[in-house]
Amino acid sequence: MTIAIVSAMREELAAVLALMPDEHKQLAAGREFFVGHLHGRDVVAVLSRIGKVAAATTASVLIQQFGVKAIVFTGVAGGLAPGVHVGDVVVADEFLQHDLDASPIFPRYEVPLYGVSRFATDAALTAQLAAAAQRALPGVKVHRGLVVSGDRFVSTTGESRALQSALPDALAVEMEGAAIAQVCHDFGIPFAAVRTISDRADDAAHGDFLKFIEEVASRHSAAIVQALLAAPDDL
Ligand code: ADE
């Protein structure tokens, strides 16, 4: 069974590719897909690209053209809930698009014609990913819960507070996960996602984010992916 490893950042993809001894590049939809093996498992590694539409295209191509049977996402996110700090890890149990609003025709956040606002990740794969994250990063706090996605880099304290009060159970904010969760729902493909918190989505977010990407994010995601794929569990 082929597993997709989707990374948000070039640095993260490079760290994953360094674990793949035999990958070769294939082009599709203007993207570079790296097909090969990691810990003996069939893997396709790719950059998600940034934003919901780009990530949805990447996920669709992975499923339809590369025949992947599961998608695992690694990336960074801004922390929203008070206890979610820079350097913590969040494993998503469900995703919601915080910038989706077709009201008054549909309730705020509801995805039109689906009748839901949240898409759950795959319970078994998510449990394995959370366990892998904890094994790979023993001193790090691993949270589980709601992650929200939108086509905005949230970089003001005002916007962060507004998101927290509108969606009090949201742990973190990023720009792709809910789109991939919806595509995986449509195709019946298991999806799991892990995000390291790079900033607090506040007025300092921009500087914190850039520093964090260089220093921590790529090491974190490669270590988590390695721990996940090295595990004896059936994926
Ligand atoms: N990814 C990492 N930090 C983020 C933020 N503050 N807003 C949106 N996406 C992010």
Side-chain angles (χ1 to χ4, degrees):
M1 149 170 138
T2 305
I3 302 163
I5 305 295
V6 181
S7 307
M9 301 288 149
R10 286 208 171 277
E11 294 82 350
E12 292 175 295
L13 176 65
V16 170
L17 291 179
L19 302 172
M20 295 174 65
D22 62 345
E23 90 282 359
H24 66 278
K25 185 163 68 181
Q26 279 181 237
L27 298 179
R31 290 147 167 77
E32 296 181 336
F33 293 82
F34 296 89
V35 179
H37 296 89
L38 208 164
H39 277 294
R41 297 177 194 266
D42 294 328
V43 161
V44 181
V46 66
L47 271 186
S48 63
R49 297 215 173 174
I50 296 170
K52 291 186 294 179
V53 174
T57 300
T58 304
S60 304
V61 173
L62 280 167
I63 295 165
Q64 293 222 285
Q65 201 161 325
F66 291 88
V68 305
K69 296 290 182 258
I71 296 182
V72 174
F73 191 101
T74 75
V76 293
L80 286 179
V84 178
H85 304 291
V86 171
D88 289 359
V89 164
V90 173
V91 175
D93 283 321
E94 51 183 2
F95 278 103
L96 169 150
Q97 295 181 51
H98 68 76
D99 58 352
L100 178 52
D101 186 358
S103 63
I105 305 177
F106 296 95
R108 187 164 181 198
Y109 306 121
E110 184 170 307
V111 185
L113 310 184
Y114 285 74
V116 296
S117 56
R118 298 176 181 216
F119 289 98
T121 54
D122 181 75
L125 188 57
T126 295
Q128 290 174 25
L129 185 60
Q134 202 61 88
R135 276 199 305 281
L137 308 166
V140 170
K141 172 80 186 155
V142 178
H143 306 264
R144 298 246 326 236
L146 173 68
V147 175
V148 297
S149 312
D151 288 316
R152 307 177 54 76
F153 184 84
V154 179
S155 57
T156 65
T157 303
E159 192 177 348
S160 169
R161 286 206 183 120
L163 276 175
Q164 286 174 59
S165 68
L167 296 161
D169 61 333
L171 298 180
V173 59
E174 39 83 306
M175 301 179 67
E176 297 84 19
I180 301 184
Q182 187 173 330
V183 171
C184 286
H185 165 86
D186 288 343
F187 286 97
I189 294 287
F191 175 52
V194 58
R195 295 273 185 172
T196 303
I197 300 303
S198 55
D199 57 80
R200 282 284 306 165
D202 57 11
D203 294 337
H206 179 62
D208 291 349
F209 172 81
L210 294 174
K211 191 156 150 263
F212 194 85
I213 297 297
E214 276 171 31
E215 290 174 8
V216 186
S218 53
R219 276 189 292 118
H220 264 201
S221 47
I224 295 169
V225 166
Q226 167 128 298
L228 177 72
L229 297 187
D233 317 322
D234 277 345
L235 285 176

